[in-house]
Amino acid sequence: MRKRNIYILSVLSCLFSASAFADWQYPGTYVGDGWYTDDGSRFVISARGGGAFGMGTIKNKVGAIVTNYLVSPDYSVVATEMQCEISGACGGWLNAGYGELKQVPPTKDFESFSFAAGASIGWTIPDRPQWRIEAGWDLISESDYNSSPMFAGEIPLVGGEVVGLTAYVESASVNSQISTDIISIMAFYDFFDGIQKPTRQFIPYVGFGIGYADTKTILNLSDPYGDIAFQLDLGQYGEIFDVDGYDMIEFYRSERSTSNVAGMASVGMSYGISEKMFFDFGIRVAYLPKVVWGLTNIDNTRHREFFSAENMIYINALLGIRFEF
């Protein structure tokens, strides 16, 4: 009797375990008699890391900053009025007029290398397993944009004693940083035939999507050329101190965030080391319309744009691992 009970319990346990196994281990539809049709749907999770290259066109956004200039009697040297006042070396110089800093072009565009990392979760589409949809997060770590002078070039001067005079202007020195987080939805197409991805071979893919990009910029601005630190309307963006009887601004370290709708594209290949684990190497490209660096006051309640990077592109080379369950 005891042997019979043990036999019955053994059979029942096998039946229960088999049915539990059937409920969740096999993707697809149960068709009866222990058979399943695999529709190719899989839960996808991945992580990746690598390097990023960013580039963008720098634009002057200083707005209405007007500086007065003096010119030597032979018209050979032009200096700011404040430089002349402090140095006392411009005796007998003529009023050359004023120029607007917004007319002076930046000295260089944004180009920088940094690290990148990301993670995604998603699903392969039932009966279309070549397609997978993933929600992802990508971080492009902090990189630098430094320039001294920030702006340089010829600008016309007006309102002075000499008509038609131009001045070669150098202005501002910046030390700045930029980092970006991107939350995205992307569709990928894996180039293979059948339901199950093959193992031990390379599978190319392409992807495209859209994302929300939050970019943080940090700006440290200084004035070695003596044309912006004496602008009274910029006083709220720094500490004011006396230099030889003149008020001069020491600008605050300013932080600003810029939000963008980002366009995303990707190309790469994966290599299946098992039916559920794949190595992944890919290139991801993100397009951001505009990123702004700006001045802020001490409590970050007021902002003023100083320069921007427009048509920003990040190119990320990433190595990762992907699991498909």
Side-chain angles (χ1 to χ4, degrees):
M1 186 67 176
R2 180 179 299 176
K3 291 183 179 180
R4 182 182 178 185
N5 290 339
I6 293 174
Y7 175 78
I8 293 172
L9 290 173
S10 300
V11 172
L12 290 175
S13 64
C14 290
L15 290 174
F16 289 141
S17 62
S19 61
F21 186 86
D23 286 340
W24 65 274
Q25 286 286 356
Y26 292 96
T29 304
Y30 179 64
V31 295
D33 297 328
W35 293 93
Y36 289 78
T37 58
D38 185 357
D39 61 10
S41 62
R42 304 285 190 273
F43 175 72
V44 178
I45 184 169
S46 64
R48 53 193 173 273
F53 174 71
M55 55 186 174
T57 302
I58 297 295
K59 299 289 186 180
N60 183 334
K61 297 291 182 180
V62 300
I65 295 180
V66 177
T67 303
N68 200 63
Y69 295 88
L70 299 179
V71 62
S72 61
D74 62 356
Y75 306 152
S76 62
V77 180
V78 176
T80 67
E81 182 179 25
M82 198 59 63
Q83 287 173 326
C84 287
E85 291 285 351
I86 292 176
S87 67
C90 302
W93 285 32
L94 304 175
N95 179 16
Y98 63 87
E100 295 182 297
L101 183 57
K102 67 181 181 180
Q103 300 182 57
V104 186
T107 55
K108 66 178 183 179
D109 288 329
F110 174 78
E111 291 184 355
S112 184
F113 288 95
S114 60
F115 293 104
S120 299
I121 59 173
W123 197 260
T124 59
I125 297 177
D127 300 316
R128 296 289 186 274
Q130 289 78 15
W131 286 99
R132 50 189 164 94
I133 306 297
E134 296 185 8
W137 163 77
D138 287 277
L139 167 67
I140 295 92
S141 67
E142 189 175 275
S143 60
D144 296 331
Y145 176 78
N146 303 321
S147 183
S148 184
M150 177 70 206
F151 308 109
E154 292 277 350
I155 60 170
L157 303 178
V158 297
E161 298 179 53
V162 182
V163 177
L165 192 64
T166 62
Y168 180 78
V169 174
E170 293 181 327
S171 179
S173 177
V174 299
N175 174 270
S176 71
Q177 293 80 43
I178 176 175
S179 58
T180 300
D181 285 277
I182 303 175
I183 304 297
S184 63
I185 295 292
M186 296 190 68
F188 295 90
Y189 185 85
D190 296 294
F191 291 90
F192 73 97
D193 294 324
I195 294 296
Q196 175 67 50
K197 288 186 177 68
T199 60
R200 306 298 177 179
Q201 72 179 62
F202 290 100
I203 306 170
Y205 66 81
V206 294
F208 58 91
I210 192 169
Y212 168 81
D214 181 68
T215 303
K216 177 182 177 182
T217 54
I218 299 173
L219 174 62
N220 295 287
L221 174 65
S222 59
D223 180 28
Y225 305 98
D227 63 334
I228 59 173
F230 301 93
Q231 300 283 337
L232 295 180
D233 63 326
L234 298 180
Q236 61 187 313
Y237 302 113
E239 296 284 347
I240 298 177
F241 61 96
D242 182 84
V243 177
D244 295 333
Y246 297 96
D247 288 336
M248 184 174 180
I249 306 166
E250 183 176 354
F251 294 100
Y252 298 127
R253 179 180 183 270
S254 300
E255 297 185 10
R256 181 183 175 122
S257 292
T258 304
S259 299
N260 280 284
V261 175
M264 308 287 292
S266 180
V267 62
M269 61 179 60
S270 60
Y271 183 85
I273 58 177
S274 72
E275 292 184 353
K276 296 181 180 180
M277 183 183 297
F278 300 84
F279 287 127
D280 189 303
F281 175 75
I283 303 294
R284 291 196 175 207
V285 179
Y287 170 78
L288 284 62
K290 180 180 179 180
V291 174
V292 175
W293 284 257
L295 298 172
T296 60
N297 61 354
I298 192 168
D299 57 2
N300 205 34
T301 57
R302 298 182 67 88
H303 304 267
R304 176 169 179 156
E305 293 186 6
F306 200 76
F307 65 94
S308 66
E310 300 189 3
N311 298 318
M312 188 84 151
I313 295 176
Y314 282 113
I315 302 173
N316 305 336
L318 302 166
L319 179 64
I321 189 166
R322 188 173 75 246
F323 298 93
E324 299 185 1
F325 301 99

